Amino acid sequence: MAASPFEPSLHQPEAIQVLVASLGDESPLVREAAMDALKEICPLNPLLVLDCCLGAARGGRRRFGNMAGVFRTMAFAVHVMDERDIDHAFLTKLAKVATTEMISSKEINTDWQKAASSLLVSIGARLPDLMMDEIFSSLSGHHSALPTMVQTLADFASADASQFTPRLKGVLSRVLPILGSVKDALRPIFAHAFKCWCQAVWQFCGDFPSDPYLDNDVLSFLHSVFELLLRVWASSRDMKVRLATVEALGQMVGLVSRTQLKAALPRLIPTILELYRKDHQSAFIATCALDNLLDASLLSESGPPLLEFEELTIVLSTLLPVTCICNDESEKSLVAVKRKTYNAIQHCFLTVGSVYPEELFMYLLNKCKPREESCTFGALCVLKHLLPRLSETWHGKIESLVETVKSLLEDQSVGVQKALAELIVVMASHCYLGGQYGELFIEYLVRHCAITEADVAGCDPQKVKAGGVCPFELRMICEKGLLLLAITIPEMEPILWPCLLKMIIPRKYTGAVAIVCRCISELSRHRSSYASLTESIAHTDIPIPEELFARLVVLLHDPLARGQLSTQILTVLCCLAPLFPKNVNLFWQDEIPKMKAYISDTEDLKQDSSYQETWDDMIINFFAESLDVIQDIDWAMSLGNVFSKQYLLYIGDDEHSALLHRCLGMLLQKVDGRSYVREKIDLMYKHANIANGTNRIGLAKGMGLVSASHLDTVLEKLKSILDGVGHNRFQRFLSFFSNRAKTQDADDVYAALALMYGYAARYAPSTIIEARIDALVGTNMLSRLLHVRQPAAKQAVITAIDLLGRAVIHAAEGGISFPLKRRDQMLDYILTLMGRDEYDGAVDLSLELLHTQTLALSACTTLVSVEPKLTIETRNLILKATLCFFALPNDPPDVVDPLIKNLITLLCAILLTSGDDGRSRGEQLLHIMRSVDQYVSSAVDHQRARGCLAVYELLVKFRTLCSSGYCVLGCSGSCMHLHQITERIASRNSSSLTSTFLLPTRDSLYLGERTIVYLPRCADTSSEVRKISAQILDLFFTIALSLPRPVGSPLSEHIEQSYSALSALGDVIAILKSDASIDPSEIFNRIVSSVCVLLAKEELAVILHGCTISICDKVKLSAEGSVGAIMEFILKRGNELNENDVSRTTQSLISATIYVTDKHLRQEVLAAICCLAEQTNPKVVFFEVLIAAERDIVTKDISWLRGGWPMQDAFYTFSQHSVLSELFLEYIVSELNNHTPDQGGDSEKGDSVRHLAEVCNDDEIPQAAILALTAFFRGGGKTGRRTVEQSYAAVLCALILQLGNCHGWAETGQQHSLRTLLPAFYSFCECVGDLEMGKILARDGEQIENGRWINLIEDLASCVAMKRPKEVHPICNILSKALNRSQKFQREAAAAALSQFVRYSDGSGSLLEHLVEVLCLHVADESATARRLCLVGLVQASGLHVDQYAFQVLGVILVLLEDPDEGVALSTSQSLLKVLQTFPRDVVAPSLINLSIRLRNLIISMNGKVRASSFAAFGALSKYGTGALHEAFLEQVHSTLPRMILHLQDDEASVRQACKSALQQILPLLDVEDISSLINTNCFNSDHRSDYENFVRDIARHICQNLAARVDTYMASAIQAFDAPWPVIQANALYFVGSMLSHLGEQRSLAPYVTQVFGLLIGKMSRSSDAIVRANCSPALSMLLKATHALTWSV
């Protein structure tokens, strides 16, 4: 093909040379782009690329910094080269360059060397002999590049085994002579190469099995290498050399002759084994080599094994410890390599076992003998692995294996135990556990299933981390193995049945009972199970049924035990039912499922704090009912004997011992023999650990169960124990100093005795208990138990006293009532015991102390509830000691909640039992409630809830007393106790008194005082407190209405209203109980309404006088509710108050205003003051508040008042009244009109203004005026708003102008005036109801940067115009005059407001005309901001009347498009874009070309917003470029289009979007369908760089095809952009020009551009400082070179 006129071939070498030079650029982006470009060019002319790269490579690394990139490019070019282009001489030259560079450096394995090696490998793929010759020539000398050359051969072997293997001889012949001189540091590279070469041989053998690949010479070379590596390199001191050598030898063992291999084995094997002393990676390499060696020496088809078993023992002995190490998975990062090593070792053993099975078996058995743990563990693992695979060969030697395993059963190593357990399971799966040793192995598994959690927790973490086995893992394996035997191996049933039954009883197997029971259950599922069970019963050494039953019942104790122990025991009891008396089977079938259901959901069970006590009671009931069903005394006594023996199983296990005590006690309850019972209770006490609380309580309950049938026997035993202690108080005091342990032992005995006495009394028959209690209490026997010090002992004694009291109550319930002697003394004992001793420790709220106090409160309640009556002194003593418990914290709730519940129960018991009639009980009620008030009004939520709950419970009990009488023991209706009380009252000659005397009066309830205490709680934050408080008020008024009323009482006249209100209150409470989601405020209002009716006049006055405390409640909602209630009371019943009541009420409210710091609450209080003024006497109220406010301004720093300035809030109240509003408004308007932040003036002063002036200095007048203004706007109400409306325009204009001034000062750093003015403006917005304006101020009021305040004023003006259109005209008149002021910022503020008011002046033609005239006059203002704002206003006007103002506006725009200020230019271009949407063609047409030219000047602005708006405006002009102006405008389009294309990938997102929009508008004008369709593609709409480049290539192609005449214009414009100030635009221009020229073909007219562009691209790539520019030069050059591919290329 003939060359082009502009000879592109002249530029191509230079371009590629520049691209190659760019490979050494400092920027990775440029280097990557250059390489990508070269790879694009390579397929077109790889020789030219190679030649240029060759030229760069000749200078070496010193002249070219990125030789790696050059070599990779050359490698790629060689790879894509056509066969016809392969030039042997040229490739030889390339190879020499690569090898020369490689041999010129002493560095090894650098990036550039690897790249050079890849070049040689690519050459080898095309001309392998050439590559080999070049490398061979380099191997002949002695230089540092030899390793690199060898590594290249290794890479070539790995890449192309089929071409390398036939040339292996040549490689070996040249490498072998230099091996002797290779240093240790380089030997790993050579060894790795030999490994790769051998692997290539093996691959070639697999691919071409019929081709001979190894002749004698190759074998000879391999033998020589093998010997060298083995004898010299393998003995190197360098570990890396030895590893690489062994790895290579492992690949070579199959390639050398058997003779040489046999001769090498004595040296090779030790060499490999030495590597096991290193790390895990070395062990893996050694194992792989050893595996290959064993395969080659033992499994060869060419002859017998080369190694005798005796010679293999050292190998096996080395591998066994490694097996132990590899089985450890504690190091997660090494798990993978360890597993690979472990599997390779097992394969080695399998290889040996396949050749020497018997010898290996005996060897492994010998290694199993307990010598070294690692060897034993390894041998067991190998046996486990090989037993299934060599079972046929080893079948005859099972007895030897069994004996060996038996000898290891006592090994203490956890690792060996784990391996042995796994081996036992494998043996069982192959039926090797039959015979006499089967049970022994089963016992071994069970023994390790019994590993406890304490054993697991006590395991040494360091040992486990270092490779040991955790006991938890051992237990899990044994459990799984045992269960597997029971489920899947039927042959094990005859062995498992008796063995597992024997495992239940021994203590050492306790931890395994769950899995043993599960296995028994699984065995029982088989049909043959009962036959095996029957056979098992015949064994004399299995436990008898009584032993099994006793053991399993006690082990039921813990329902949350590991392995679902309780569920498994219950299941196995059903399975073993044939062993027990027949009549119990049906009972168990019915009862056991219920018990299993209770404990089935453990998570639900844990939610019940008393689940353990409930479960133990269920066990005792189950046991008792089972005995009742069996009805066999002999069997029961035998069971009792078993229980006695099994105490030894629970030594140290107090929980199970406690249950055993109870079981034995229940059994003794059903036995009649006195001597048998005495013997067993002696045994119970002997085996009881009374130092433990759980064991102690179990013993006490057991004794109590016995006492139900043998009380005297039990009491006799207890007395003997008490007499045996022998400590009096003095002796105990001395023992404290002599031996503290003795004191503690005595405390344990006394605690146990106390509990046993208590439970004996609790379970004993009521008919005989009185005499025993009298003997115990009356003879001071109990006092001997009261001098304990330990918390547990105290709790035991308190529990005993409580049980005594309950025994008295229980007897009374049965009709046998009697007083408890020395009851008050016992109460004193309890209060003493629940206090802290001096030695108890520093923490008062310890759990033990809380638990003691909980028990003490329960005991006090019990004692208070029995006869005799409680005295006042004792009552006060109890309250003083117990009420402080209301202040306890919530945590821990499981301890504190029961304590509080017991406290409330105690208070109720005191109320019910302290007093003989209603009046005395009323006094008791009031005393208790006043004592609880501090907690009812507490700031702590839970204290309020507790106090209210206590009051509610007290009132419930009191109401019952007042209505129908109440039994102190809880009986309802008529009972004998109530009858006794009535008789006692009658005995005091009260029968002659009326019933009214026995009831309290309404006044004694102090309803006013009580109501103001509990009413705030009805608005509490806690829903529970609200509900309880409402019920309290309901109970109070219910009781009050039920009490007798004096004759002539006012309440008698309104009784119907009171009952109606009480009914309404009851309805509210019903709603609260049924619907918790109802609005609390609505409920509170209904409660207040009802209470307002129910209160008497005097009670109402008391509430109002004491309202300060309720308003200052510590709970905000309650305080707010109190204020609301006060207002409700004043509104509805304020007319009933006299002057004294009003005065005191006002003082209370003012006082509350001072103390309340919460602003909202303070406003509520001020509203209450307002309400009081409206309903009573407003003059005094308003006067006092006004004077206080004026005094505060002078005497206080009101900005630092905590909670704000109260009197400022009072202004809100003043301004809402017509009398005060006029005076206050006059003062506000005066200050607004005559005082500004920068000037003063006179004003008319009313009284309030005069007072303000008297207390303020001149400098403070602006601040006082603004504060007053703020107060008026916020509190003016309707009256104030009406006044503001009358002067709305003046007020707003003043605020706007001052806002401009303040922002001007703020820009200079003086922000004080602005911060003072803004609150006033906020208040103004609130006053006039313009919330939108307030939001605008809140959003932008303090924004002072970048002229944001202008936008603020514009937004304010727009808001005013929309909300108040009638005010626009007067506002505009005022602001128009302000444009003539000298203050710059006031002019700008006025212009900003007027520009927005233009938009809303359409309805008034005269106003619009006036505004246009004013804005046109000031469009040349000195302030750029004012000019811009005037333009904006004019644009708004043109939008309203296009035909009237369009020409004026467009003329202003045309002038301002050339304004030097960027802000004005931006606003002008944006305004033009806006007006073009509405202006008709006849308006724009005369200025179309001028507008286009000015916009073209703006699209290169450095301001991104200006560029974006200019592009958008130019696009909008396109709709006017039709008709006669089409050609002229089209010229402008062609001049602008290249810039639009370039800025499609602008740095600014707004510019990119504007360009896209403009292109969518102007491309259709070109009338080229292909180009217009591009705007719908994904590439056009995407912002990704790659998509943009695709779009540029497409549009360049279509331009060249369809707009060839305009290409010259586009090229000139794009080339100009090469010097654009933005690097990304330069890059875009480069890419666009390259894309354009790549589609030119042979157009002779553009020859100068080609030359110019080549020069510019090369210059940019060489000189540009921007990486993105240099990077885009590469694809541009690539496209040019590809486009000229058809032309002549010259090298």
Side-chain angles (χ1 to χ4, degrees), residues 842-857:
V843 181
D844 291 344
L845 299 179
S846 65
L847 295 180
E848 285 296 330
L849 180 59
L850 291 174
H851 187 53
T852 302
Q853 292 166 344
T854 302
L855 295 176
L857 291 174

Side-chain angles (χ1 to χ4, degrees), residues 1145-1155 1165 1169 1181 1184-1185:
T1145 303
T1146 304
Q1147 294 173 7
S1148 297
L1149 291 174
I1150 292 176
S1151 177
T1153 306
I1154 296 173
Y1155 290 120
V1165 177
I1169 295 176
V1181 176
E1184 293 295 335
V1185 175

